Amino acid sequence: MGSVDSVIQSSSLDIAEFYIQQKVEGVFLAPFELMQNGRDLTRAIVEHLKAQNIQVVLIDSAYELFPKSSGIDLVSIDNFRAGYTLSMHYLEKQEKRVDFIMPRFPGETVKLRHRGFYSALIYHGIQPSPEWSHVYEESDNLGRRLKKNGVRNIICSNDWIALKLMKQLQHQGFQIPEDFRIAGFDNSMFAQTCTPGLTSIDQPCDILARTAVEIMIKRLSDPDSVPIQYYSDFTLYIRDSTS
């Protein structure tokens, strides 16, 4: 993993330097996730670009830990509310336990979704156990271990993990949603076409993209204006994976 991270870091800094040499005026940047030093790398690239008077609009999430602000423009959905909404999807079924599965090195997007999941349980009088939050791993006995530990209702930090988990559990002989209910984020094409269909939060990418461009145009015309934090609404698509 370390060598892969080093390659990503080196190539990303090279791309940033290329933009500087090409005299680019603005860059849209999605913070690095799924790597141990993603926050530091994102911060380094932003500072490098800003030092050359290149404007940056963040896509999807800030890179600083909540409640600290990155201090630059941001376009995203409200990931905290999205995590809260998925938890409510289970709690409205009178469930008393919900589990959250995420990657080993979650970015701020995932952390906000996890905080929303956690807060929904607290608000409804349920004290989540630390054992209800899991790091995703591929294991031949994953399904048996989850079942033994009382896991039933699962929120995955994104569709990619949700779909891998679903396939893994099905391969081990478990049924979705009879044995496990699974939901994710992103409403990817595969979430819509897999069997069973995956319950997922949809991000309105067209609105987010258009808004990001509008904010960048405004930023280029007025570099010293107050940073804009734009949070779009989202849609929960309920499918058979949680029925």
Side-chain angles (χ1 to χ4, degrees), residues 218-229:
K218 180 177 180 180
R219 176 60 52 199
L220 292 174
S221 65
D222 188 4
D224 297 323
S225 62
V226 176
I228 297 172
Q229 309 283 298

Side-chain angles (χ1 to χ4, degrees), residues 73-121:
D73 299 319
L74 167 67
V75 175
S76 178
I77 65 168
D78 186 338
N79 283 290
F80 177 91
R81 189 164 66 87
Y84 193 104
T85 298
L86 267 188
S87 284
M88 283 300 303
H89 172 59
Y90 288 124
L91 296 175
E92 288 171 352
K93 300 175 184 289
Q94 307 305 312
E95 298 291 344
K96 300 300 182 184
R97 172 172 176 172
V98 183
D99 288 64
F100 194 98
I101 298 181
M102 55 189 158
R104 183 168 302 278
F105 301 116
E108 187 62 12
T109 299
V110 172
K111 291 177 181 177
L112 286 169
R113 293 170 180 174
H114 183 264
R115 291 189 193 105
F117 139 82
Y118 194 93
S119 296
L121 294 172

Side-chain angles (χ1 to χ4, degrees), residues 134-148:
H134 313 260
V135 172
Y136 175 72
E137 59 179 296
E138 295 190 23
S139 168
D140 291 338
N141 67 345
L142 176 62
R144 292 191 298 274
R145 181 157 49 82
L146 292 176
K147 198 74 172 178
K148 181 180 179 180

Side-chain angles (χ1 to χ4, degrees), residues 161-233:
I161 287 181
L163 292 165
K164 289 190 68 174
L165 176 65
M166 186 185 300
K167 183 177 180 180
Q168 191 175 350
L169 293 175
Q170 289 172 327
H171 181 72
Q172 294 173 12
F174 294 96
Q175 301 296 313
I176 312 297
E178 289 81 4
D179 295 309
F180 297 99
R181 298 182 181 130
I182 301 176
F185 295 84
D186 297 333
N187 193 36
S188 63
M189 176 183 67
F190 299 106
Q192 302 172 46
T193 58
C194 66
T195 303
L198 178 67
T199 293
S200 185
I201 293 282
D202 179 74
Q203 303 188 59
C205 294
D206 54 341
I207 294 175
L208 293 172
R210 184 167 60 250
T211 303
V213 171
E214 292 171 352
I215 290 175
M216 178 63 80
I217 292 173
K218 180 177 180 180
R219 176 60 52 199
L220 292 174
S221 65
D222 188 4
D224 297 323
S225 62
V226 176
I228 297 172
Q229 309 283 298
Y230 175 85
Y231 296 98
S232 173
D233 201 1

Side-chain angles (χ1 to χ4, degrees), residues 15-172:
I15 292 172
E17 188 60 37
F18 173 77
Y19 288 155
I20 292 172
Q21 294 174 3
Q22 294 298 309
K23 301 187 184 303
V24 169
E25 295 184 70
V27 170
F28 300 99
L29 177 64
F32 292 89
E33 300 186 354
L34 305 180
M35 54 189 298
Q36 191 167 11
N37 66 336
R39 185 181 307 107
D40 294 337
L41 176 56
T42 302
R43 185 187 300 111
I45 289 176
V46 169
E47 291 176 352
H48 190 44
L49 294 172
K50 296 288 284 184
Q52 301 298 320
N53 295 317
I54 296 176
Q55 303 303 323
V56 177
V57 174
L58 293 175
I59 306 295
D60 197 36
S61 74
Y63 55 86
E64 297 292 1
L65 290 175
F66 179 87
K68 188 176 181 181
S69 171
S70 301
I72 54 180
D73 299 319
L74 167 67
V75 175
S76 178
I77 65 168
D78 186 338
N79 283 290
F80 177 91
R81 189 164 66 87
Y84 193 104
T85 298
L86 267 188
S87 284
M88 283 300 303
H89 172 59
Y90 288 124
L91 296 175
E92 288 171 352
K93 300 175 184 289
Q94 307 305 312
E95 298 291 344
K96 300 300 182 184
R97 172 172 176 172
V98 183
D99 288 64
F100 194 98
I101 298 181
M102 55 189 158
R104 183 168 302 278
F105 301 116
E108 187 62 12
T109 299
V110 172
K111 291 177 181 177
L112 286 169
R113 293 170 180 174
H114 183 264
R115 291 189 193 105
F117 139 82
Y118 194 93
S119 296
L121 294 172
I122 293 291
Y123 184 80
H124 286 81
I126 301 171
Q127 180 60 52
S129 166
E131 296 179 353
W132 297 4
S133 297
H134 313 260
V135 172
Y136 175 72
E137 59 179 296
E138 295 190 23
S139 168
D140 291 338
N141 67 345
L142 176 62
R144 292 191 298 274
R145 181 157 49 82
L146 292 176
K147 198 74 172 178
K148 181 180 179 180
N149 292 335
V151 177
R152 171 79 167 96
N153 307 295
I154 300 172
I155 296 174
C156 293
S157 59
N158 55 44
D159 285 354
W160 180 72
I161 287 181
L163 292 165
K164 289 190 68 174
L165 176 65
M166 186 185 300
K167 183 177 180 180
Q168 191 175 350
L169 293 175
Q170 289 172 327
H171 181 72
Q172 294 173 12

